[in-house]
Amino acid sequence: MESSNRDRKAKLLEIRDLYKAFPLSNSLLEQLQFKHGRLVRNRESVHAINGVSLDMYPGDALCVVGESGCGKSTVARVVTGLLQPTSGSIVFDNQRIDHLPPKKQLPYRRRMQMIFQNPYASLNPRMTVRQTLEEPVRFHNPGIGNGELKQKVEEVMASVGVDPGWSNRFPHEFSGGQRQRISIARALTVDPELIVADEPISALDVSIQAQVLNLLMEAREQRSLTYLFITHDLAVVEHFGSRVAVMYLGAICELADTATLFDTPRHPYTQALLSAIPRLNRDRPPHIKLKGEIPTPINLPTGCLFQTRCLYADERCRQERPALKELNDGARVACHGVEEDRIE
Amino acid sequence: MPILEIKNLEVRFPMRGGELIAIRDISFSIDRGERLGIVGESGAGKSVAAFAILRLIGRPGYISGGQILFEGNDLARLSPEQLRQFRGNQITMIFQDPMMTLNPVLTIGTQMIECLQTHRGMGRKQARKVAVEKLRRVAIPSPEARIDQYPHELSGGMRQRVVIAIALLTDPAIIIADEPTTALDVTIQAEIMELLLALCETHQVALILITHDLGVVSEITQRAIVMYAGRIVEEGPTRDIIERARHPYTHGLIDALPERTHPGQRLNQIPGSMPSLVDIPPGCAFHPRCEHVTDLCQTRVPGYTLLDHARVACHWVAAQEQS
Ligand SMILES: Nc1ncnc2c1ncn2[C@@H]1O[C@H](COP(=O)(O)OP(=O)(O)OP(=O)(O)O)[C@@H](O)[C@H]1O
Ligand SMILES: Nc1ncnc2c1ncn2[C@@H]1O[C@H](COP(=O)(O)OP(=O)(O)OP(=O)(O)O)[C@@H](O)[C@H]1O
Ligand code: SF4
Ligand SMILES: [Mg+2]
Ligand SMILES: [Mg+2]
């Protein structure tokens, strides 16, 4: 029902068949190999994203989860134009943006903003908070008057709960939580439609996480923002997300509404992941152990990317890569076992 | 009798213009085979407390008071030679970063065998056998082959398991683990935690687990200590702490977790943030953030109110208990 609703709504962001590989920077000599009696140049690369497609609708809070190195940050960087995809496309508000020249991308860049894990990295230590906040407003609104600028900055500071009287201070004079709220304020100054947040609260303490998460949720209600929210904290996902994409080795293995995913995880990897979250109450289901080690994204497994660690893998899994298929409750799962109905 | 008893431990760091007291009045004890959690937010003093127990506080920092009683011996007063008999032997530590323990230029086997030769006076051959045995115990696949690998050839989770295997070499009575899984993914964290849990249960090893993850504390430990701004503010059975915390800070911390609020609802938050140790508020250090604050809280440091199996440093709790 929700999906048909979605079909009528205009998509805000469309990611299609995205691939991103980073060539390994070995010296030429290291790349040379003697194979079958001749010298070949063996170019290895890190396959960070291996065919990701997803749609986002206005008001979505789509959370991307998965273990370290599965490609979450790379997706965020490709979407926001910090990286060029190897192949595939990014369509924002019906306009393909990934292949536009940088100048033409500018109006779209204003409409999507990125928040990083480390607020140190995203704030310039030599700029006061006022300067930090004024810069993007000036940049995106050339010719704005000084009075209007000052007012805008103060409004934004107040909206993230940082005293506007402190606007002449430098980042190091603020606590980690305050700094992260300032970098969120910075992203909000240009009234974006989409916020791509890469682990925005992972570096913060629990009591500060709550403050920042509340702020992000308020901004979502008040400005009807759309979030692509990257995290490895599943409790945060359950709380914040409207939908969840679970990634493994650079691909989505399951994509579903948050409640559906947590109630009925389908993919064997999702099941294992959810079973591993430490919970406050002790009556969680037993931990499902995966076999083996996470393969490197340099030599991807054949067939299903999860096949080497899956307890249900069979011959088909080792040969053929499963596609992301929609089930009757709208969840999408890439798994032969689920499709063949042989996984609980 | 507890195997380890800490009494009024205090650690100071000399700074320009005075001394910073990183932890003060830290007292607790742990029994053989017991699992104790130490929780608190960043900067609360958890690591300093752990390092102090092993006398690993680097200069110019120093232990400025208190006792560390291990089976009656005060580690705070032992000479470095005497200390060696306990540290890395009876009491071992697992750090967040396995590379704090592992030497990158030596194979795992070399490091393990050296440890057994020094601490146990074993011959090479026997030491290797014991090392393989311990690697197998921490579920390293094909330990006979892995033992000759270098740390960088292993994944993060495997490295941490090797560190645990090294910690087990000397059959310690106590393991102090400082955020042992914080850098690892949840599935690997779950495996490491299950491993530690099993070891404590089968070998009667006492575990002091330092973490800021209340979920981990809830699943692994039997008793928990909550630290705030260098002091213990609450101690009690883990279940009680999680389900009915008494100290307003502990209560606020647990209430702020997303699990404590319906999805999509505003999370409960504690106003403000933890003070830096250079300007700890007078009286109860938590008072500027506390909803139950009274005049007394602003002037006098609360002592401990003893409850059944628990203690809380809070004037508000003390007043409730009296009435
Ligand atoms: N600039 C780069 N050059 C080479 N490899 C890279 C680069 N950036 C990322 N990678 C590799 O791509 C893969 C995906 O990395 P990415 O940072 O997207 O993972 P992630 O899911 O964000 O992980 P984490 O949870 O640790 O942040 C990893 O194997 C990583 O080592
Ligand atoms: N060598 C040092 N010199 C000066 N101050 C120090 C030193 N080591 C620690 N401190 C201070 O002692 C306090 C407690 O630090 P500690 O590392 O124990 O915190 P923690 O509770 O382990 O936090 P985290 O969760 O971030 O690991 C901090 O305020 C820190 O700045
Ligand atoms: S497709 Fe096969 S290998 Fe992949 S997750 Fe499903 S059952 Fe496991
Ligand atoms: Mg990342
Ligand atoms: Mg620490």
mmCIF file of all heavy atoms in Angstrom, chain A residues 67-68 205-207 210-211 213-214 217-218 235 238-239 278-280 282 284 287 289 293, chain B residues 41-42 155 158 185 187 189-190 194 218-219 221 239 262 264-267 269-270 272 289:
data_model
loop_
_atom_site.group_PDB
_atom_site.id
_atom_site.type_symbol
_atom_site.label_atom_id
_atom_site.label_comp_id
_atom_site.label_asym_id
_atom_site.label_seq_id
_atom_site.Cartn_x
_atom_site.Cartn_y
_atom_site.Cartn_z
ATOM 1 N N GLU A 67 28.274 -3.322 8.085
ATOM 2 C CA GLU A 67 29.498 -3.320 8.863
ATOM 3 C C GLU A 67 30.582 -2.498 8.204
ATOM 4 O O GLU A 67 30.472 -2.083 7.055
ATOM 5 C CB GLU A 67 29.924 -4.763 9.117
ATOM 6 C CG GLU A 67 28.807 -5.453 9.903
ATOM 7 C CD GLU A 67 29.209 -6.766 10.485
ATOM 8 O OE1 GLU A 67 29.915 -6.750 11.496
ATOM 9 O OE2 GLU A 67 28.821 -7.794 9.927
ATOM 10 N N SER A 68 31.617 -2.283 8.976
ATOM 11 C CA SER A 68 32.711 -1.432 8.535
ATOM 12 C C SER A 68 33.224 -1.870 7.161
ATOM 13 O O SER A 68 33.451 -3.055 6.933
ATOM 14 C CB SER A 68 33.834 -1.512 9.562
ATOM 15 O OG SER A 68 34.814 -0.581 9.246
ATOM 16 N N ASP A 205 28.713 11.079 23.014
ATOM 17 C CA ASP A 205 28.226 10.348 24.180
ATOM 18 C C ASP A 205 26.716 10.180 24.128
ATOM 19 O O ASP A 205 26.013 10.981 23.515
ATOM 20 C CB ASP A 205 28.584 11.120 25.445
ATOM 21 C CG ASP A 205 29.958 10.736 25.931
ATOM 22 O OD1 ASP A 205 30.304 9.550 25.822
ATOM 23 O OD2 ASP A 205 30.682 11.608 26.407
ATOM 24 N N VAL A 206 26.242 9.165 24.826
ATOM 25 C CA VAL A 206 24.810 8.839 24.828
ATOM 26 C C VAL A 206 23.930 10.063 25.097
ATOM 27 O O VAL A 206 22.984 10.332 24.372
ATOM 28 C CB VAL A 206 24.518 7.765 25.896
ATOM 29 C CG1 VAL A 206 23.030 7.551 26.054
ATOM 30 C CG2 VAL A 206 25.199 6.470 25.522
ATOM 31 N N SER A 207 24.253 10.827 26.152
ATOM 32 C CA SER A 207 23.344 11.919 26.504
ATOM 33 C C SER A 207 23.382 13.006 25.433
ATOM 34 O O SER A 207 22.402 13.705 25.218
ATOM 35 C CB SER A 207 23.689 12.479 27.882
ATOM 36 O OG SER A 207 24.873 13.227 27.854
ATOM 37 N N ALA A 210 21.368 11.903 22.181
ATOM 38 C CA ALA A 210 19.931 12.173 22.275
ATOM 39 C C ALA A 210 19.648 13.613 21.861
ATOM 40 O O ALA A 210 18.697 13.876 21.119
ATOM 41 C CB ALA A 210 19.437 11.903 23.696
ATOM 42 N N GLN A 211 20.472 14.544 22.289
ATOM 43 C CA GLN A 211 20.261 15.951 21.932
ATOM 44 C C GLN A 211 20.334 16.145 20.413
ATOM 45 O O GLN A 211 19.491 16.809 19.816
ATOM 46 C CB GLN A 211 21.326 16.845 22.587
ATOM 47 C CG GLN A 211 21.254 16.885 24.105
ATOM 48 C CD GLN A 211 22.421 17.664 24.717
ATOM 49 O OE1 GLN A 211 23.233 18.244 24.011
ATOM 50 N NE2 GLN A 211 22.492 17.679 26.039
ATOM 51 N N LEU A 213 20.121 13.837 17.998
ATOM 52 C CA LEU A 213 19.085 13.094 17.281
ATOM 53 C C LEU A 213 17.742 13.831 17.348
ATOM 54 O O LEU A 213 17.019 13.917 16.357
ATOM 55 C CB LEU A 213 18.962 11.696 17.887
ATOM 56 C CG LEU A 213 18.622 10.558 16.946
ATOM 57 C CD1 LEU A 213 19.514 10.536 15.733
ATOM 58 C CD2 LEU A 213 18.724 9.231 17.687
ATOM 59 N N ASN A 214 17.422 14.391 18.502
ATOM 60 C CA ASN A 214 16.195 15.187 18.627
ATOM 61 C C ASN A 214 16.222 16.362 17.661
ATOM 62 O O ASN A 214 15.220 16.676 17.012
ATOM 63 C CB ASN A 214 16.029 15.704 20.060
ATOM 64 C CG ASN A 214 15.486 14.627 20.988
ATOM 65 O OD1 ASN A 214 14.902 13.645 20.533
ATOM 66 N ND2 ASN A 214 15.676 14.803 22.269
ATOM 67 N N MET A 217 15.494 15.212 14.207
ATOM 68 C CA MET A 217 14.084 14.852 14.033
ATOM 69 C C MET A 217 13.204 16.104 13.971
ATOM 70 O O MET A 217 12.249 16.153 13.200
ATOM 71 C CB MET A 217 13.632 13.918 15.157
ATOM 72 C CG MET A 217 14.248 12.532 15.033
ATOM 73 S SD MET A 217 13.465 11.272 16.061
ATOM 74 C CE MET A 217 13.831 11.859 17.689
ATOM 75 N N GLU A 218 13.551 17.115 14.784
ATOM 76 C CA GLU A 218 12.784 18.366 14.735
ATOM 77 C C GLU A 218 12.918 19.023 13.363
ATOM 78 O O GLU A 218 11.939 19.500 12.782
ATOM 79 C CB GLU A 218 13.301 19.354 15.791
ATOM 80 C CG GLU A 218 12.661 19.169 17.144
ATOM 81 C CD GLU A 218 13.526 19.734 18.262
ATOM 82 O OE1 GLU A 218 14.325 20.661 17.995
ATOM 83 O OE2 GLU A 218 13.411 19.236 19.395
ATOM 84 N N ALA A 235 19.992 0.573 17.061
ATOM 85 C CA ALA A 235 18.979 1.152 17.950
ATOM 86 C C ALA A 235 18.581 2.536 17.445
ATOM 87 O O ALA A 235 17.410 2.928 17.507
ATOM 88 C CB ALA A 235 19.513 1.229 19.382
ATOM 89 N N GLU A 238 16.296 2.072 14.390
ATOM 90 C CA GLU A 238 14.938 1.683 14.764
ATOM 91 C C GLU A 238 14.149 2.911 15.219
ATOM 92 O O GLU A 238 12.949 3.018 15.013
ATOM 93 C CB GLU A 238 15.005 0.639 15.882
ATOM 94 C CG GLU A 238 13.697 -0.078 16.104
ATOM 95 C CD GLU A 238 13.854 -1.284 17.019
ATOM 96 O OE1 GLU A 238 14.906 -1.422 17.672
ATOM 97 O OE2 GLU A 238 12.897 -2.079 17.077
ATOM 98 N N HIS A 239 14.852 3.843 15.821
ATOM 99 C CA HIS A 239 14.188 5.022 16.348
ATOM 100 C C HIS A 239 13.947 6.089 15.286
ATOM 101 O O HIS A 239 12.910 6.723 15.228
ATOM 102 C CB HIS A 239 15.024 5.631 17.471
ATOM 103 C CG HIS A 239 14.256 6.628 18.253
ATOM 104 N ND1 HIS A 239 13.401 6.260 19.265
ATOM 105 C CD2 HIS A 239 14.159 7.964 18.144
ATOM 106 C CE1 HIS A 239 12.833 7.328 19.745
ATOM 107 N NE2 HIS A 239 13.270 8.379 19.085
ATOM 108 N N PRO A 278 23.543 -5.664 21.159
ATOM 109 C CA PRO A 278 23.371 -5.796 22.601
ATOM 110 C C PRO A 278 22.134 -5.024 23.048
ATOM 111 O O PRO A 278 21.927 -3.877 22.646
ATOM 112 C CB PRO A 278 24.634 -5.168 23.195
ATOM 113 C CG PRO A 278 25.415 -4.611 22.081
ATOM 114 C CD PRO A 278 24.675 -4.813 20.804
ATOM 115 N N ARG A 279 21.308 -5.666 23.825
ATOM 116 C CA ARG A 279 20.054 -5.042 24.244
ATOM 117 C C ARG A 279 20.033 -4.843 25.752
ATOM 118 O O ARG A 279 20.670 -5.575 26.485
ATOM 119 C CB ARG A 279 18.877 -5.941 23.858
ATOM 120 C CG ARG A 279 18.689 -6.081 22.360
ATOM 121 C CD ARG A 279 18.012 -4.862 21.812
ATOM 122 N NE ARG A 279 17.555 -5.088 20.448
ATOM 123 C CZ ARG A 279 16.923 -4.164 19.733
ATOM 124 N NH1 ARG A 279 16.683 -2.977 20.259
ATOM 125 N NH2 ARG A 279 16.545 -4.417 18.512
ATOM 126 N N LEU A 280 19.230 -3.904 26.182
ATOM 127 C CA LEU A 280 19.099 -3.664 27.618
ATOM 128 C C LEU A 280 18.357 -4.811 28.298
ATOM 129 O O LEU A 280 18.712 -5.256 29.370
ATOM 130 C CB LEU A 280 18.330 -2.366 27.876
ATOM 131 C CG LEU A 280 19.074 -1.063 27.641
ATOM 132 C CD1 LEU A 280 18.196 0.101 28.052
ATOM 133 C CD2 LEU A 280 20.387 -1.022 28.399
ATOM 134 N N ARG A 282 17.277 -8.659 28.600
ATOM 135 C CA ARG A 282 18.110 -9.811 28.258
ATOM 136 C C ARG A 282 17.422 -10.857 27.405
ATOM 137 O O ARG A 282 18.042 -11.823 26.999
ATOM 138 C CB ARG A 282 18.629 -10.445 29.540
ATOM 139 C CG ARG A 282 19.826 -9.670 30.045
ATOM 140 C CD ARG A 282 20.371 -10.228 31.312
ATOM 141 N NE ARG A 282 21.588 -9.501 31.665
ATOM 142 C CZ ARG A 282 22.214 -9.638 32.811
ATOM 143 N NH1 ARG A 282 21.768 -10.468 33.716
ATOM 144 N NH2 ARG A 282 23.304 -8.943 33.058
ATOM 145 N N ARG A 284 16.621 -11.345 24.367
ATOM 146 C CA ARG A 284 16.663 -11.261 22.914
ATOM 147 C C ARG A 284 16.938 -12.663 22.376
ATOM 148 O O ARG A 284 17.434 -13.530 23.078
ATOM 149 C CB ARG A 284 17.752 -10.300 22.467
ATOM 150 C CG ARG A 284 19.136 -10.817 22.766
ATOM 151 C CD ARG A 284 20.116 -10.396 21.696
ATOM 152 N NE ARG A 284 21.299 -11.205 21.817
ATOM 153 C CZ ARG A 284 22.518 -10.728 21.747
ATOM 154 N NH1 ARG A 284 22.705 -9.444 21.566
ATOM 155 N NH2 ARG A 284 23.559 -11.526 21.838
ATOM 156 N N HIS A 287 22.175 -15.243 19.613
ATOM 157 C CA HIS A 287 23.009 -14.655 18.579
ATOM 158 C C HIS A 287 23.284 -15.659 17.460
ATOM 159 O O HIS A 287 23.732 -16.768 17.712
ATOM 160 C CB HIS A 287 24.325 -14.198 19.238
ATOM 161 C CG HIS A 287 25.352 -13.783 18.268
ATOM 162 N ND1 HIS A 287 26.692 -14.021 18.455
ATOM 163 C CD2 HIS A 287 25.241 -13.137 17.093
ATOM 164 C CE1 HIS A 287 27.353 -13.542 17.421
ATOM 165 N NE2 HIS A 287 26.507 -13.002 16.589
ATOM 166 N N LYS A 289 25.489 -16.916 14.699
ATOM 167 C CA LYS A 289 26.895 -16.752 14.303
ATOM 168 C C LYS A 289 27.049 -16.973 12.809
ATOM 169 O O LYS A 289 26.516 -17.923 12.258
ATOM 170 C CB LYS A 289 27.762 -17.766 15.046
ATOM 171 C CG LYS A 289 28.011 -17.396 16.478
ATOM 172 C CD LYS A 289 29.233 -18.141 16.990
ATOM 173 C CE LYS A 289 29.404 -17.932 18.464
ATOM 174 N NZ LYS A 289 28.397 -18.631 19.280
ATOM 175 N N GLU A 293 35.121 -15.275 7.541
ATOM 176 C CA GLU A 293 35.519 -13.889 7.743
ATOM 177 C C GLU A 293 34.929 -13.042 6.621
ATOM 178 O O GLU A 293 34.640 -13.546 5.541
ATOM 179 C CB GLU A 293 37.048 -13.784 7.656
ATOM 180 C CG GLU A 293 37.761 -14.512 8.763
ATOM 181 C CD GLU A 293 37.982 -13.618 9.974
ATOM 182 O OE1 GLU A 293 38.241 -12.414 9.777
ATOM 183 O OE2 GLU A 293 37.886 -14.121 11.099
ATOM 184 N N GLU B 41 30.348 8.311 30.595
ATOM 185 C CA GLU B 41 30.613 8.955 29.318
ATOM 186 C C GLU B 41 32.089 9.315 29.183
ATOM 187 O O GLU B 41 32.864 9.215 30.127
ATOM 188 C CB GLU B 41 29.709 10.176 29.178
ATOM 189 C CG GLU B 41 28.246 9.758 29.135
ATOM 190 C CD GLU B 41 27.311 10.931 28.924
ATOM 191 O OE1 GLU B 41 26.998 11.631 29.890
ATOM 192 O OE2 GLU B 41 26.919 11.143 27.783
ATOM 193 N N SER B 42 32.435 9.767 28.002
ATOM 194 C CA SER B 42 33.820 10.085 27.700
ATOM 195 C C SER B 42 34.395 11.083 28.708
ATOM 196 O O SER B 42 33.770 12.085 29.010
ATOM 197 C CB SER B 42 33.867 10.678 26.293
ATOM 198 O OG SER B 42 35.186 10.805 25.886
ATOM 199 N N SER B 155 42.301 -10.035 10.576
ATOM 200 C CA SER B 155 41.259 -9.011 10.637
ATOM 201 C C SER B 155 41.204 -8.423 12.047
ATOM 202 O O SER B 155 41.776 -8.986 12.988
ATOM 203 C CB SER B 155 39.914 -9.632 10.293
ATOM 204 O OG SER B 155 39.517 -10.499 11.326
ATOM 205 N N MET B 158 39.872 -10.825 14.635
ATOM 206 C CA MET B 158 40.812 -11.902 14.937
ATOM 207 C C MET B 158 41.953 -11.396 15.803
ATOM 208 O O MET B 158 42.405 -12.078 16.717
ATOM 209 C CB MET B 158 41.372 -12.466 13.641
ATOM 210 C CG MET B 158 40.766 -13.796 13.312
ATOM 211 S SD MET B 158 41.957 -14.774 12.420
ATOM 212 C CE MET B 158 41.092 -14.873 10.901
ATOM 213 N N ASP B 185 32.823 -4.373 14.646
ATOM 214 C CA ASP B 185 31.428 -4.438 14.214
ATOM 215 C C ASP B 185 30.588 -5.259 15.187
ATOM 216 O O ASP B 185 31.113 -6.115 15.888
ATOM 217 C CB ASP B 185 31.368 -5.087 12.839
ATOM 218 C CG ASP B 185 31.800 -4.112 11.767
ATOM 219 O OD1 ASP B 185 31.415 -2.942 11.850
ATOM 220 O OD2 ASP B 185 32.526 -4.530 10.853
ATOM 221 N N THR B 187 28.556 -7.765 14.904
ATOM 222 C CA THR B 187 28.555 -9.233 14.861
ATOM 223 C C THR B 187 29.837 -9.768 15.500
ATOM 224 O O THR B 187 29.823 -10.786 16.184
ATOM 225 C CB THR B 187 28.440 -9.771 13.417
ATOM 226 O OG1 THR B 187 29.484 -9.209 12.635
ATOM 227 C CG2 THR B 187 27.115 -9.420 12.793
ATOM 228 N N GLN B 189 31.670 -8.039 17.721
ATOM 229 C CA GLN B 189 31.546 -7.703 19.143
ATOM 230 C C GLN B 189 30.808 -8.802 19.897
ATOM 231 O O GLN B 189 31.231 -9.226 20.966
ATOM 232 C CB GLN B 189 30.788 -6.385 19.293
ATOM 233 C CG GLN B 189 30.228 -6.163 20.688
ATOM 234 C CD GLN B 189 29.709 -4.751 20.887
ATOM 235 O OE1 GLN B 189 30.442 -3.793 20.832
ATOM 236 N NE2 GLN B 189 28.437 -4.632 21.117
ATOM 237 N N ALA B 190 29.718 -9.277 19.295
ATOM 238 C CA ALA B 190 28.925 -10.301 19.962
ATOM 239 C C ALA B 190 29.761 -11.558 20.189
ATOM 240 O O ALA B 190 29.700 -12.182 21.250
ATOM 241 C CB ALA B 190 27.683 -10.618 19.135
ATOM 242 N N GLU B 194 30.825 -13.056 23.854
ATOM 243 C CA GLU B 194 30.454 -14.416 24.242
ATOM 244 C C GLU B 194 31.673 -15.197 24.712
ATOM 245 O O GLU B 194 31.623 -15.974 25.663
ATOM 246 C CB GLU B 194 29.779 -15.137 23.077
ATOM 247 C CG GLU B 194 28.276 -14.913 23.081
ATOM 248 C CD GLU B 194 27.622 -15.264 21.756
ATOM 249 O OE1 GLU B 194 28.092 -16.197 21.081
ATOM 250 O OE2 GLU B 194 26.635 -14.598 21.409
ATOM 251 N N SER B 218 24.704 -4.627 30.124
ATOM 252 C CA SER B 218 23.505 -5.354 30.504
ATOM 253 C C SER B 218 23.633 -6.842 30.188
ATOM 254 O O SER B 218 23.194 -7.686 30.956
ATOM 255 C CB SER B 218 22.310 -4.746 29.774
ATOM 256 O OG SER B 218 21.211 -5.602 29.846
ATOM 257 N N GLU B 219 24.247 -7.156 29.049
ATOM 258 C CA GLU B 219 24.306 -8.559 28.649
ATOM 259 C C GLU B 219 25.417 -9.334 29.338
ATOM 260 O O GLU B 219 25.323 -10.539 29.494
ATOM 261 C CB GLU B 219 24.467 -8.654 27.131
ATOM 262 C CG GLU B 219 23.235 -8.138 26.425
ATOM 263 C CD GLU B 219 23.136 -8.613 24.998
ATOM 264 O OE1 GLU B 219 24.169 -9.007 24.434
ATOM 265 O OE2 GLU B 219 22.021 -8.589 24.467
ATOM 266 N N THR B 221 27.559 -8.241 32.336
ATOM 267 C CA THR B 221 28.013 -8.091 33.716
ATOM 268 C C THR B 221 26.935 -8.410 34.744
ATOM 269 O O THR B 221 25.738 -8.406 34.451
ATOM 270 C CB THR B 221 28.529 -6.660 33.980
ATOM 271 O OG1 THR B 221 27.441 -5.736 33.869
ATOM 272 C CG2 THR B 221 29.605 -6.287 32.983
ATOM 273 N N ARG B 239 21.192 -5.519 36.766
ATOM 274 C CA ARG B 239 19.750 -5.485 36.473
ATOM 275 C C ARG B 239 19.071 -4.289 37.133
ATOM 276 O O ARG B 239 18.271 -3.593 36.549
ATOM 277 C CB ARG B 239 19.093 -6.731 37.043
ATOM 278 C CG ARG B 239 18.792 -7.965 36.273
ATOM 279 C CD ARG B 239 18.468 -8.023 34.839
ATOM 280 N NE ARG B 239 19.349 -7.399 33.909
ATOM 281 C CZ ARG B 239 18.949 -6.792 32.801
ATOM 282 N NH1 ARG B 239 17.688 -6.704 32.507
ATOM 283 N NH2 ARG B 239 19.798 -6.260 31.977
ATOM 284 N N HIS B 262 9.454 5.362 22.236
ATOM 285 C CA HIS B 262 8.841 4.787 21.039
ATOM 286 C C HIS B 262 9.495 5.365 19.800
ATOM 287 O O HIS B 262 9.825 6.547 19.778
ATOM 288 C CB HIS B 262 7.341 5.085 21.002
ATOM 289 C CG HIS B 262 6.579 4.268 21.977
ATOM 290 N ND1 HIS B 262 6.462 2.904 21.864
ATOM 291 C CD2 HIS B 262 5.916 4.617 23.094
ATOM 292 C CE1 HIS B 262 5.760 2.443 22.878
ATOM 293 N NE2 HIS B 262 5.415 3.461 23.642
ATOM 294 N N GLY B 264 10.477 7.266 16.656
ATOM 295 C CA GLY B 264 9.990 8.522 16.118
ATOM 296 C C GLY B 264 9.687 9.587 17.155
ATOM 297 O O GLY B 264 9.543 10.752 16.824
ATOM 298 N N GLN B 265 9.555 9.194 18.429
ATOM 299 C CA GLN B 265 9.277 10.182 19.470
ATOM 300 C C GLN B 265 10.567 10.869 19.886
ATOM 301 O O GLN B 265 11.651 10.338 19.737
ATOM 302 C CB GLN B 265 8.682 9.493 20.693
ATOM 303 C CG GLN B 265 7.505 8.628 20.367
ATOM 304 C CD GLN B 265 6.216 9.262 20.788
ATOM 305 O OE1 GLN B 265 5.942 9.374 21.961
ATOM 306 N NE2 GLN B 265 5.453 9.684 19.818
ATOM 307 N N ARG B 266 10.378 12.046 20.459
ATOM 308 C CA ARG B 266 11.510 12.794 20.972
ATOM 309 C C ARG B 266 12.214 11.989 22.061
ATOM 310 O O ARG B 266 11.578 11.443 22.942
ATOM 311 C CB ARG B 266 10.944 14.078 21.584
ATOM 312 C CG ARG B 266 11.827 15.246 21.538
ATOM 313 C CD ARG B 266 11.195 16.405 22.286
ATOM 314 N NE ARG B 266 12.229 17.053 23.059
ATOM 315 C CZ ARG B 266 13.188 17.763 22.511
ATOM 316 N NH1 ARG B 266 13.205 17.943 21.209
ATOM 317 N NH2 ARG B 266 14.127 18.301 23.242
ATOM 318 N N LEU B 267 13.528 11.909 21.992
ATOM 319 C CA LEU B 267 14.276 11.176 23.015
ATOM 320 C C LEU B 267 14.390 12.010 24.278
ATOM 321 O O LEU B 267 14.398 13.240 24.228
ATOM 322 C CB LEU B 267 15.683 10.867 22.503
ATOM 323 C CG LEU B 267 15.794 9.920 21.316
ATOM 324 C CD1 LEU B 267 17.200 9.950 20.749
ATOM 325 C CD2 LEU B 267 15.433 8.512 21.734
ATOM 326 N N GLN B 269 16.414 13.719 26.994
ATOM 327 C CA GLN B 269 17.807 14.134 27.008
ATOM 328 C C GLN B 269 18.185 14.759 28.340
ATOM 329 O O GLN B 269 17.360 15.318 29.035
ATOM 330 C CB GLN B 269 18.114 15.058 25.827
ATOM 331 C CG GLN B 269 17.267 16.314 25.753
ATOM 332 C CD GLN B 269 17.565 17.103 24.485
ATOM 333 O OE1 GLN B 269 17.463 16.597 23.376
ATOM 334 N NE2 GLN B 269 17.949 18.355 24.676
ATOM 335 N N ILE B 270 19.472 14.602 28.674
ATOM 336 C CA ILE B 270 19.989 15.270 29.867
ATOM 337 C C ILE B 270 20.490 16.626 29.383
ATOM 338 O O ILE B 270 21.261 16.677 28.434
ATOM 339 C CB ILE B 270 21.170 14.504 30.481
ATOM 340 C CG1 ILE B 270 20.827 13.035 30.682
ATOM 341 C CG2 ILE B 270 21.609 15.148 31.788
ATOM 342 C CD1 ILE B 270 21.991 12.215 31.242
ATOM 343 N N GLY B 272 22.713 19.969 28.982
ATOM 344 C CA GLY B 272 24.141 20.259 29.199
ATOM 345 C C GLY B 272 25.043 19.106 28.852
ATOM 346 O O GLY B 272 24.627 18.145 28.216
ATOM 347 N N ARG B 289 23.095 19.906 35.902
ATOM 348 C CA ARG B 289 22.286 19.203 34.904
ATOM 349 C C ARG B 289 21.117 18.455 35.546
ATOM 350 O O ARG B 289 20.379 17.756 34.854
ATOM 351 C CB ARG B 289 23.153 18.190 34.140
ATOM 352 C CG ARG B 289 24.414 18.792 33.545
ATOM 353 C CD ARG B 289 25.293 17.722 32.921
ATOM 354 N NE ARG B 289 24.710 17.181 31.697
ATOM 355 C CZ ARG B 289 25.211 16.158 31.027
ATOM 356 N NH1 ARG B 289 26.288 15.540 31.479
ATOM 357 N NH2 ARG B 289 24.639 15.732 29.924
#
